[in-house]
Amino acid sequence: MGLFRKKNDVDIRKKILRETKEIDYSEIVEGLFKGKDLYEELRVMSHPDRYANTEKEQRATELFKLVQDNRGNYRKMLELKEMIYKELI
């Protein structure tokens, strides 16, 4: 792209910076460090093989897919943890 940027790109960045009041860095760091452990926990808890030949097998498969799809989203994984505890355990 080079050294020169379009004026429109600079205006968009400035607008985003103005609209962004605060960034919660603690949540970002927490998600980075605890996200992998939470993912592993949810992956084991919701694995469909744990619920083979039971009425919970279909729901476990759905939740397991959601866990995999939201691996990098710490907030969503916390919500999924609640769902797994309510519906499977």
Side-chain angles (χ1 to χ4, degrees), residues 20-89:
T20 307
K21 304 266 189 246
E22 291 182 28
I23 298 174
D24 188 4
Y25 290 104
S26 63
E27 187 173 309
I28 294 170
V29 172
E30 182 180 6
L32 289 173
F33 288 108
K34 294 183 179 180
K36 184 176 180 180
D37 293 335
L38 180 60
Y39 170 75
E40 292 297 324
E41 177 186 352
L42 296 180
R43 190 175 62 86
V44 170
M45 287 173 30
S46 65
H47 199 280
D49 289 348
R50 290 185 70 183
Y51 305 96
N53 301 321
T54 66
E55 68 274 356
K56 294 180 180 180
E57 184 177 14
Q58 179 66 29
R59 186 61 180 150
T61 303
E62 294 167 3
L63 290 171
F64 184 72
K65 182 165 175 31
L66 286 172
V67 168
Q68 289 179 325
D69 291 345
N70 292 287
R71 182 177 185 169
N73 187 343
Y74 187 70
R75 283 187 190 175
K76 183 65 175 177
M77 285 197 303
L78 288 174
E79 293 173 14
L80 288 170
K81 183 176 182 176
E82 290 179 24
M83 291 171 61
I84 289 168
Y85 272 103
K86 286 180 185 175
E87 299 178 27
L88 297 180
I89 298 180

Side-chain angles (χ1 to χ4, degrees), residues 12-25:
I12 291 171
R13 287 189 188 122
K14 286 180 182 177
K15 182 179 179 184
I16 291 171
L17 289 174
R18 277 194 307 266
E19 291 175 358
T20 307
K21 304 266 189 246
E22 291 182 28
I23 298 174
D24 188 4
Y25 290 104

Side-chain angles (χ1 to χ4, degrees), residues 4-18:
F4 301 102
R5 294 192 173 113
K6 295 178 184 176
K7 184 179 183 325
N8 197 19
D9 291 343
V10 174
D11 292 340
I12 291 171
R13 287 189 188 122
K14 286 180 182 177
K15 182 179 179 184
I16 291 171
L17 289 174
R18 277 194 307 266

